Amino acid sequence: MKKSKLLVFALIAAGITAFFVFDLKQYFTLDYFQAQRAAIDAEVEARPVRAALLFFAVYVAVTGLSLPGAAIMTLVAGAVFGLLWGTVIVSFASTLGATLAFLASRFLLRDWVQEKFGDKLKPINDGIAREGAFYLFALRLVPAFPFFVINLVMGLTPIRTWTYYWVSQLGMFAGTVVFVYAGTQLGAFKISAGLLLAFALLGIFPLLAKKVLDALKARKVYAGWTRPARFERNLVVIGGGSAGLVSSYIAAAVKAKVTLVEKHKMGGDCLNTGCVPSKALIKSAKLVATMKHAADYGLKNTQVDFDFADIMERVQRVVHEVEPHDSIERYTALGVECITGEAKITSPWTVEIRTATGTQTLTTRSIVIAAGARPFVPPIPGIDEVGCLTSDTVWGLRELPKRLIVLGGGPIGSELTQCFARLGSQVTQVEMLPRIMIREDPEISDMVLQQFRREGVNVLLNHKAQRFAIENGEKVLYCDHAGSSVRIAFDALLCAVGRVANTTGYGLEELGIPVTKTRTVEVNEFLQTKYPNITACGDVAGPYQFTHTAAHTAWYAAVNTLFSGFKKFRADFSVIPWATFTDPEVARVGLNETEAKEKNIPFEVTTYGIDDLDRAIADGTAHGVVKVLTVPGKDKILGATIAGEHAGDLITEFVTAMKHGIGLNKILGTIHIYPTLAEANKYVAGNWKRAHAPKKLLEWVGKFHAWRRG
């Protein structure tokens, strides 16, 4: 450290040390002021300028060193100097002291902090560079943010010193007036209407300041747009998938006038190309696999005879049977106006809708974006030439591919890999990472991998697709594996490498609504976009792309925009479960062991092998594991993973436990029906209990029982 920095640090440390060692804080109390009131008033009356300058200097020193006492001194300023001069003195002294603390922080720490954490601080630095004055003003306007913390933290950012000074002076002025006025009333040391008013102002000022801040922010955001004099709708929802359906249902339930616009099919991906058809296919494929192993269940001469086209037709029958749940007729009956057409946001309050019969524009107070996502097809050379199926288009197949490549080892790719293998395709699953289902713990991924290989799936890990080609009429894929080229011939390709949010074509670009690096709509913790009256939810906003999280976020998006200005709720992502419907089925909630290690979160692991479970043995499904992470030494659940039959159903007990703060002790104390798969949850809790049994106490209890036996 340079000598100049050492000197500054030493002076600051000496000042702070002296304050506490010599108990100077006793002079910064209302009791001390009351005791010395007469002498202080006499000094101010005799030498007002000298007294004001001395008070000013002490105030600057206290705030510059970030010492406690500024609030008391502000009250004293009002009592001694009155509202006008008290406000002038405190306003300039507090700003000067804050700037000195800001400069000290910048001089001593900024270079080191930026050098060490510059990459992580880049988004903050960029934000300060763009709108540093506004951010600082927001912090100064709301007294809830500690005065000294703002000084020290802002010193680490690139904001200019002059900007920091004048914004602080302006931002703190209203709060200073309120505190000084409170001091003028305290000067009389008696209850008065003015004193009560001052304390009332102190209480409501943060709320008023927040309202002012929101108004300023809104004015800035909506500048250049003309707000309609009246609105035809309370809410327009773009997208009729899970998120859009729930948003519009909530709006109708609270008697808002809501219009839902869907350009394709109601129900979105989940009903038409995702959850519903895939689970129908999984069931048929599982039945085929079970019948092929009928001897394991004591059956003889069982033959499996099916036509792939019939299975795919059954999938569509299932979709059609579920369709009424998400239909226009149902939602119309619920009070939602449903329009089939393409929506485009043309201003923060207008949506243009193009239908088969023409175009109309609706004015609306609020908009919910629930545009969903679509399969991502990577731009691999030759992929267009060979043709590519996705989770959207695979349902049109009526002939089983003899040789199928599945590109991707995530949930969708793994589910469809197993389905087609069980139905008779020669499936090669290509994954560029070292494991399939990379979000799960290694042993869980390996459990699924080994089952795939037992069922004849050729799983190629660490294989990166490089190019596709047609050679002598045969489709081939070339992969890179450890520097070597691997050639794979195939008849059909299914690409399942992820999904990308639908963020184009409906007005985001024209309104300047930004998207994130992961190409989802950028929202805040309330799911609001750049424009507070426009929210986004479901796959288009993330961070999770599940049907149940889409419905979960839809509640926040609808409520926060319908009741904007009155109440807002932060979206809660603390307990998010999910399942991959392979065999074995894999379900998870909260942390797994891999994530806990990556985040350096202390944990204990407790497991129970489902191969020991009576019901699983009886069902012929005695494979899998229940794995629970807990706080060391406590039964608080950090996360749970289940691999095995009906894991997606069994995980619900742990989801409930985590959501409502229930530990393993209470799960152990809950009666579980025998024989059921759910007993596995109780048994894993029992394993935890045995591992934490009080050994010393049990030794004494053993001696006690021995004594009683004589």
Side-chain angles (χ1 to χ4, degrees):
M1 184 180 287
K2 295 181 180 179
K3 291 183 179 180
S4 56
K5 288 189 176 182
L6 280 174
L7 178 61
V8 172
F9 179 80
L11 290 173
I12 294 173
I16 295 174
T17 302
F19 182 84
F20 290 102
V21 169
F22 296 107
D23 195 24
L24 299 181
K25 62 180 179 292
Q26 64 178 307
Y27 302 115
F28 296 88
T29 65
L30 288 177
D31 289 339
Y32 177 80
F33 172 69
Q34 184 178 12
Q36 301 296 320
R37 179 62 190 274
I40 293 172
D41 284 344
E43 177 65 21
V44 171
E45 187 175 350
R47 289 179 284 272
V49 176
R50 181 176 178 272
L53 290 174
L54 179 61
F55 185 90
F56 183 92
V58 173
Y59 201 111
V60 170
V62 168
T63 53
L65 292 172
S66 302
L67 297 171
I72 297 298
M73 290 192 71
T74 304
L75 295 172
V76 169
V80 173
F81 298 104
L83 178 60
L84 175 60
W85 285 108
T87 300
V88 171
I89 292 170
V90 170
S91 179
F92 284 95
S94 61
T95 305
L96 181 58
T99 305
L100 290 175
F102 163 87
L103 290 172
S105 172
R106 170 164 292 184
F107 181 68
L108 294 174
L109 299 172
R110 186 177 68 167
D111 292 344
W112 178 80
V113 169
Q114 291 293 341
E115 181 179 346
K116 192 171 182 64
F117 306 105
D119 55 336
K120 297 181 177 64
L121 294 174
K122 187 178 185 305
I124 297 175
N125 291 335
D126 292 343
I128 292 293
R130 289 193 310 269
E131 297 185 288
F134 184 80
Y135 291 154
L136 177 59
F137 184 73
L139 293 172
R140 291 302 193 197
L141 197 58
V142 181
F145 293 100
F147 180 85
F148 74 95
V149 172
I150 297 172
N151 302 334
L152 300 181
V153 172
M154 293 301 289
L156 306 177
T157 71
I159 190 170
R160 295 174 57 196
T161 303
W162 170 243
T163 301
Y164 182 83
Y165 178 87
W166 74 259
V167 172
S168 295
Q169 182 96 48
L170 184 62
M172 292 189 293
F173 183 76
T176 297
V177 172
V178 172
F179 272 82
V180 171
Y181 178 70
T184 65
Q185 301 302 304
L186 284 173
F189 292 103
K190 64 181 181 180
I191 302 297
S192 65
L195 179 60
L196 293 176
L197 175 61
F199 278 115
L201 286 173
L202 288 175
I204 67 173
F205 181 72
L207 299 176
L208 294 174
K210 189 174 185 305
K211 291 293 184 184
V212 170
L213 185 60
D214 288 344
L216 291 172
K217 205 171 182 181
R219 184 175 180 180
K220 180 179 180 181
V221 167
Y222 293 110
W225 298 103
T226 302
R227 181 186 175 98
R230 61 180 300 277
F231 300 98
E232 298 166 300
R233 301 291 186 273
N234 295 100
L235 181 66
V236 171
V237 179
I238 300 175
S242 177
L245 292 173
V246 173
S247 295
S248 58
Y249 172 82
I250 290 170
V254 297
K255 306 304 179 185
K257 192 170 185 181
V258 54
T259 294
L260 171 64
V261 186
E262 169 56 51
K263 70 177 181 179
H264 188 42
K265 292 182 178 181
M266 292 282 282
D269 298 322
C270 181
L271 170 63
N272 298 290
T273 61
C275 312
V276 174
S278 67
K279 301 313 163 282
L281 183 64
I282 287 169
K283 180 64 178 179
S284 294
K286 185 171 185 177
L287 181 59
V288 170
T290 302
M291 293 175 70
K292 287 180 179 178
H293 296 87
D296 295 341
Y297 298 90
L299 305 179
K300 295 180 180 179
N301 300 321
T302 302
Q303 294 183 347
V304 183
D305 186 16
F306 67 92
D307 189 297
F308 178 73
D310 293 337
I311 288 178
M312 296 303 278
E313 286 300 324
R314 175 193 173 262
V315 169
Q316 291 308 310
R317 288 199 304 273
V318 171
V319 172
H320 294 323
E321 191 171 339
V322 177
E323 270 181 343
H325 301 168
D326 299 341
S327 65
I328 289 176
E329 292 76 15
R330 182 186 178 214
Y331 276 80
T332 300
L334 291 170
V336 179
E337 179 190 32
C338 300
I339 298 177
T340 301
E342 292 191 30
K344 184 172 184 178
I345 306 170
T346 52
S347 86
W349 304 282
T350 55
V351 178
E352 180 184 274
I353 306 170
R354 287 190 299 161
T355 67
T357 58
T359 301
Q360 63 173 315
T361 298
L362 295 177
T363 58
T364 178
R365 283 189 62 88
S366 305
I367 299 169
V368 167
I369 299 170
R374 65 188 184 279
F376 172 67
V377 178
I380 301 171
I383 196 168
D384 292 332
E385 183 182 0
V386 299
C388 176
L389 296 166
T390 68
S391 58
D392 276 2
T393 61
V394 70
W395 311 109
L397 283 179
R398 291 298 180 269
E399 183 177 341
L400 183 71
K402 183 178 180 181
R403 298 172 300 176
L404 175 68
I405 283 183
V406 177
L407 201 61
I412 296 174
S414 294
E415 289 178 2
L416 293 175
T417 286
Q418 192 171 42
C419 282
F420 278 91
R422 286 179 162 183
L423 293 174
S425 288
Q426 298 173 19
V427 182
T428 299
Q429 186 179 26
V430 178
E431 172 55 60
M432 64 183 293
L433 298 174
R435 294 192 282 118
I436 60 172
M437 296 172 62
I438 196 69
R439 296 182 68 179
E440 309 300 340
D441 282 333
E443 73 273 22
I444 303 297
S445 297
D446 188 63
M447 197 177 297
V448 178
L449 172 66
Q450 296 309 320
Q451 180 63 27
F452 280 13
R453 287 178 170 164
R454 281 192 292 270
E455 295 183 7
V457 178
N458 181 26
V459 182
L460 301 179
L461 303 175
N462 293 305
H463 281 64
K464 184 175 182 179
Q466 288 186 310
R467 65 184 179 91
F468 293 91
I470 297 178
E471 297 176 350
N472 299 320
E474 185 176 55
K475 298 177 181 179
V476 294
L477 165 65
Y478 286 93
C479 295
D480 175 72
H481 176 60
S484 299
S485 181
V486 178
R487 183 182 185 274
I488 310 164
F490 65 94
D491 300 307
L493 167 68
L494 173 60
C495 186
V497 296
R499 295 174 63 80
V500 60
N502 295 318
T503 57
T504 60
Y506 54 90
L508 298 188
E509 305 93 330
E510 289 82 353
L511 267 71
I513 296 176
V515 297
T516 66
K517 291 180 179 179
T518 56
R519 292 194 279 180
T520 56
V521 176
E522 187 175 287
V523 295
N524 62 14
E525 64 269 36
F526 303 106
L527 300 186
Q528 295 170 311
T529 66
K530 172 183 177 180
Y531 302 95
N533 71 309
I534 303 178
T535 56
C537 56
D539 290 1
V540 78
Y544 301 97
Q545 292 188 336
F546 308 125
T547 297
H548 49 280
T549 52
H552 175 70
T553 56
W555 183 90
Y556 293 97
V559 171
N560 286 343
T561 193
L562 284 170
F563 299 100
S564 177
F566 297 98
K567 180 66 177 175
K568 290 187 297 185
F569 300 88
R570 286 181 174 82
D572 180 11
F573 296 107
S574 59
V575 183
I576 300 295
W578 65 81
T580 302
F581 296 91
T582 49
D583 184 5
E585 201 166 289
V586 177
R588 178 151 78 91
V589 62
L591 291 173
N592 64 6
E593 190 172 355
T594 303
E595 288 180 345
K597 289 177 180 177
E598 289 174 351
K599 297 177 180 179
N600 295 317
I601 297 174
F603 65 92
E604 290 181 359
V605 177
T606 304
T607 61
Y608 171 75
I610 295 176
D611 59 316
D612 189 53
L613 187 65
D614 293 1
R615 178 57 185 271
I617 294 171
D619 288 350
T621 57
H623 54 265
V625 67
V626 180
K627 183 177 182 181
V628 181
L629 270 66
T630 51
V631 174
K634 298 182 180 180
D635 73 334
K636 181 179 179 181
I637 302 168
L638 296 173
T641 300
I642 303 177
E645 192 80 356
H646 291 293
D649 299 312
L650 299 180
I651 200 72
T652 301
E653 188 165 20
F654 292 110
V655 177
T656 302
M658 291 182 65
K659 180 67 177 178
H660 299 288
I662 298 170
L664 288 179
N665 276 316
K666 290 188 177 180
I667 291 179
L668 180 61
T670 300
I671 298 173
H672 292 66
I673 295 173
Y674 177 88
T676 60
L677 297 175
E679 285 186 294
N681 294 344
K682 179 176 182 177
Y683 292 149
V684 77
N687 286 350
W688 178 89
K689 190 70 173 180
R690 280 191 293 275
H692 293 82
K695 295 181 181 179
K696 288 293 183 182
L697 177 60
L698 290 176
E699 288 177 7
W700 282 102
V701 172
K703 292 177 181 179
F704 168 74
H705 288 304
W707 170 76
R708 294 194 74 183
R709 292 194 303 269

